[in-house]
Amino acid sequence: MKKIIIIDGGPRKNFNTASMLQKVGEGASSVSNEIEIKLVRLYELDYKGCMSCMACKIKGKASNICKFKDALTPLLEEIAQADGLVLGSPIYFGDVTGQMRTFLERLAFPWLSYNDYSMTAPKRMPVILVETMNGTPEMNNSQGYGSMEPCIKAALGEPEHLIAYNTYQVKNYDRYELAGFSEKAKRMYRDEFWEGYLQKAFDAGKHMAESILK
Ligand SMILES: Cc1cc2nc3c(=O)[nH]c(=O)nc-3n(C[C@H](O)[C@H](O)[C@H](O)COP(=O)(O)O)c2cc1C
């Protein structure tokens, strides 16, 4: 059995990011029942970012898995053994959510060697990075996974990107103070592109599973 871990770094269980991640999972599952999908919602876990305890860098006992114990510990240990990793986040103020960033600190700091500045994960694996946002391909403020992306690339491998632009942020635009957005333009964009974004997510999950089983 091979395992793909999908990490949802957004708070909403049934909106854009969750839907994209669900499709990645469906695509991967469609390939074979030899693929196990594990979905983790970071907002349901109580955890801290890197505590700078330096336990991962103690001489003779260095570890590329975080040694700090909290609700993230079992997940970090599971990722070390996984065969594929999918990360998803809405874009908040140009970045991934605080929860995603906090999680990534704990994942990546133990990979980093302060002896030679190399980044070494316990195991390399295919990675998909998902972002959803209000911005459009032409105009957006997203820095995506930002400074964490080179760490992911060095330690796990070149990530594949899936971006859903100009998402529908609420179910009913009339209910909220959202005059800066044209509901009609949002709806037209969604009608034209949303299914395509979901299809890309499905296909990416499928390709990930195929590459794992190859
Ligand atoms: C606190 C907050 C900050 C946001 N900041 C941005 C932003 O900087 N750029 C952007 O394009 N969208 C921004 N958005 C919109 C979300 O990224 C977008 O609606 C996303 O698809 C929401 O994902 P979800 O439906 O999975 O919750 C923001 C939304 C919230 C709630």
Side-chain angles (χ1 to χ4, degrees):
M1 201 73 175
K2 303 284 184 182
K3 189 186 281 184
I4 295 175
I5 301 185
I6 302 180
I7 313 263
D8 189 342
R12 303 200 290 182
K13 289 183 184 171
N14 298 308
F15 271 74
N16 299 290
T17 311
S19 303
M20 289 288 284
L21 292 173
Q22 164 93 17
K23 280 290 165 192
V24 175
E26 285 174 19
S29 299
S30 74
V31 173
S32 159
N33 50 15
E34 286 301 300
I35 298 280
E36 180 191 344
I37 306 293
K38 171 149 185 172
L39 172 69
V40 179
R41 295 186 194 284
L42 292 180
Y43 278 74
E44 290 176 358
L45 301 179
D46 187 7
Y47 63 94
K48 304 268 190 246
C50 177
M51 299 298 285
S52 200
C53 66
M54 303 303 276
C56 61
K57 314 224 182 298
I58 291 173
K59 278 189 180 161
K61 288 203 265 176
S63 167
N64 51 14
I65 305 174
C66 177
K67 305 301 275 181
F68 183 74
K69 301 287 177 237
D70 66 7
L72 217 50
T73 309
L75 175 61
L76 295 170
E77 286 169 356
E78 213 174 339
I79 291 170
Q81 303 297 322
D83 301 289
L85 182 65
V86 183
L87 306 180
S89 178
I91 294 302
Y92 284 2
F93 296 97
D95 288 299
V96 292
T97 59
Q99 267 71 10
M100 175 56 77
R101 165 71 196 205
T102 299
F103 155 77
L104 286 170
E105 286 175 9
R106 294 276 300 284
L107 182 70
F109 191 61
W111 294 342
L112 170 65
S113 163
Y114 271 164
N115 292 329
D116 62 7
Y117 302 105
S118 59
M119 296 288 284
T120 311
K123 188 175 165 189
R124 290 177 74 80
M125 65 189 74
V127 183
I128 298 172
L129 300 179
V130 179
E131 296 167 50
T132 77
M133 68 187 80
N134 265 330
T136 63
E138 298 75 31
M139 198 170 74
N140 70 78
N141 65 345
S142 175
Q143 302 180 46
Y145 290 75
S147 60
M148 300 312 300
E149 180 156 346
C151 305
I152 292 167
K153 183 177 165 183
L156 299 178
E158 182 76 56
E160 175 170 0
H161 290 269
L162 288 175
I163 305 179
Y165 293 103
N166 205 358
T167 53
Y168 219 64
Q169 195 167 359
V170 292
K171 288 206 163 75
N172 180 358
Y173 274 72
D174 292 337
R175 189 162 175 236
Y176 301 93
E177 300 285 357
L178 286 169
F181 295 107
S182 154
E183 189 277 336
K184 189 175 168 217
K186 278 273 190 193
R187 187 160 24 92
M188 283 170 66
Y189 193 95
R190 184 189 61 180
D191 290 349
E192 188 173 352
F193 293 106
W194 179 241
E195 285 303 320
Y197 291 145
L198 292 177
Q199 185 63 50
K200 276 190 186 152
F202 183 94
D203 293 345
K206 192 165 171 255
H207 295 151
M208 177 181 268
E210 285 166 351
S211 74
I212 288 169
L213 292 174
K214 218 169 18 186

